[in-house]
Amino acid sequence: DSSELVDVNNYVKANQVDAADELKGIAEGRNLIVVSLESTQNFVINNEMNGQVITPFLNELTRDEDTIYMDNFYHQTEQGKTSDSEFILDNSLYPLGRGAVFFTHSGNEYHTLAESLNNKGYFTANMHANNKSFWNRDIVYDTFGYDRYYSLVDYTVGDGESVNWGMKDIPFFEQSVEHMREMEQPFYTKMITLTNHHPFFLDEEDKFIEEYDSNSGTLNRYFQAVRYTDESIKEFFTDLKEAGLYENSIIVMYGDHYGISENHNVAMGQYLEREITPFETAQLQRVPLFIHIPGSGAGFVDHTLAGQVDLKPTIQNLLGIDSGKAIQFGQDIFSKDNEDFVILRDGRFITNELVYAGETCWDKETGEPTDREACDPYIARANEELAYNDEIIYGDLLRFYDAENGRLKSDEDTETILNEE
Ligand code: GP9
Ligand code: MN
């Protein structure tokens, strides 16, 4: 009940940091375009495969004067895959260790990124050319407070425009920009790409590079599919410019989760030219994060250790929204007090010196096992944080929280809520 929220609230407030002053409000009033890059891991960025560049456009962005590129950023998803990443983005909470919170707790009260933008007068939307009920999205997007879901029925999938799980990314972006032209501004839209999804098949005309040559067809095709996504982003930027929607937007793009599972460790080891230990597997959970602010000159490459839970407070600060009152586990990435500690949903964690994975404590610099004692305090902290997170979700505790004023609801309010049950 509401008394559990007291402990949660104390923990969250004790670990909160002030948002950065420097970039605060740099994108205030702009449209917010969030792009979920399906299965895109960070190891493909600024990398080659058999002499072929994998992500030419994204590589350019890493050096672009208007782009902040984070190369030490981890996904924190579990079985809910893409939907987990969406849950994290909107709530700055962790998803669940088992099952998909989009299915199990779709009716909870949440205080979301979408809601904070609605309060600022934004039109808020999701765009994904799949069946609207996939991952229970139609229900959850309502719960989260989004105004509109552009799903499969809002797109025309022409001949040859579909592969793997659905519509190809290039026509998806093209038609999405047409929808954006009609939106009231400022808007916030979350776009979910799909082509770079297992099994990573492509039509011949969409293959811009050769396959890799390992014993894993999955990894071999992965590089080609990522290359296709890179092309689609390039065309998307052009489409935005043509629609006059580029200059007054901020574009945030991140990988939703890994694409290559541990079943492909031999092939991955061949590509990376080292053995894939549990340490390496944890490091492979890094996904790219790009924050592109046209005309800002704010670009740089940032090595700060961060995770998807940090997206919400970071984006809010850039948009000039105060997130200090929220119950959330993320921190503004650009805050000088940002803590260098990332917890993965299964209890693995990463600090600047250590990685905890496979129940072993690893020295980050050597990639070799080290004394477990070094990891012990962090293990306790990670478990504590994940336990508080689960209390929030299982107990639907945010219904007892007055998000606007940043405090627990009064006894009177709480009694009313409980009596309604
Ligand atoms: C499906 C898409 C991909 O709509 O989000 O799902 P995933 O398997 O990555 O969760
Ligand atoms: Mn996905």
Side-chain angles (χ1 to χ4, degrees), residues 38-39 79-83 86 128 130-131 134-135 137 149 165 192-194 197 256-257:
E38 179 59 44
S39 301
Q79 293 172 340
K81 305 300 298 279
T82 311
S83 72
E86 296 179 69
H128 183 46
N130 197 353
N131 192 304
F134 198 93
W135 281 130
R137 283 185 173 110
Y149 180 14
W165 285 33
I192 301 170
T193 64
L194 194 54
H197 195 290
D256 62 349
H257 49 73

Side-chain angles (χ1 to χ4, degrees), residues 323-339:
S323 70
K325 289 181 179 135
I327 296 229
Q328 59 191 8
F329 294 106
Q331 301 175 334
D332 173 23
I333 292 171
F334 307 116
S335 166
K336 60 178 179 5
D337 301 321
N338 179 289
E339 197 183 0

Side-chain angles (χ1 to χ4, degrees), residues 73-92:
F73 178 81
Y74 291 77
H75 86 81
Q76 293 163 308
T77 65
E78 258 302 328
Q79 293 172 340
K81 305 300 298 279
T82 311
S83 72
D84 277 355
S85 71
E86 296 179 69
F87 181 83
I88 303 168
L89 167 81
D90 245 299
N91 297 292
S92 188

Side-chain angles (χ1 to χ4, degrees), residues 271-286:
Y271 175 68
L272 295 175
E273 297 181 333
R274 52 183 187 265
E275 190 198 340
I276 307 301
T277 61
F279 166 80
E280 293 291 347
T281 301
Q283 292 298 69
L284 282 167
Q285 304 316 305
R286 278 177 291 194

Side-chain angles (χ1 to χ4, degrees), residues 293-358:
I293 315 171
S296 68
F300 65 108
V301 178
D302 190 346
H303 309 300
T304 304
L305 197 49
Q308 287 170 332
V309 286
D310 300 318
L311 284 168
K312 179 188 179 203
T314 303
I315 292 171
Q316 285 178 322
N317 193 47
L318 296 173
L319 291 171
I321 299 170
D322 175 19
S323 70
K325 289 181 179 135
I327 296 229
Q328 59 191 8
F329 294 106
Q331 301 175 334
D332 173 23
I333 292 171
F334 307 116
S335 166
K336 60 178 179 5
D337 301 321
N338 179 289
E339 197 183 0
D340 296 309
F341 181 43
V342 172
I343 303 169
L344 305 188
R345 176 60 248 203
D346 59 6
R348 284 180 289 176
F349 63 76
I350 298 95
T351 75
N352 278 340
E353 287 83 33
L354 303 166
V355 169
Y356 181 67

Side-chain angles (χ1 to χ4, degrees), residues 221-279:
R221 291 187 299 273
Y222 179 71
F223 294 99
Q224 282 184 324
V226 172
R227 177 65 185 81
Y228 173 85
T229 295
D230 182 85
E231 193 70 19
S232 75
I233 302 290
K234 180 180 163 185
E235 294 193 19
F236 174 50
F237 274 51
T238 306
D239 295 343
L240 281 176
K241 286 175 187 167
E242 279 171 13
L245 291 166
Y246 175 75
E247 297 290 336
N248 59 340
S249 296
I250 167 173
I251 303 157
V252 177
M253 306 188 283
Y254 62 88
D256 62 349
H257 49 73
Y258 67 80
I260 303 300
S261 74
E262 289 181 76
N263 297 336
H264 308 278
N265 273 358
V266 173
M268 214 36 193
Q270 177 188 333
Y271 175 68
L272 295 175
E273 297 181 333
R274 52 183 187 265
E275 190 198 340
I276 307 301
T277 61
F279 166 80

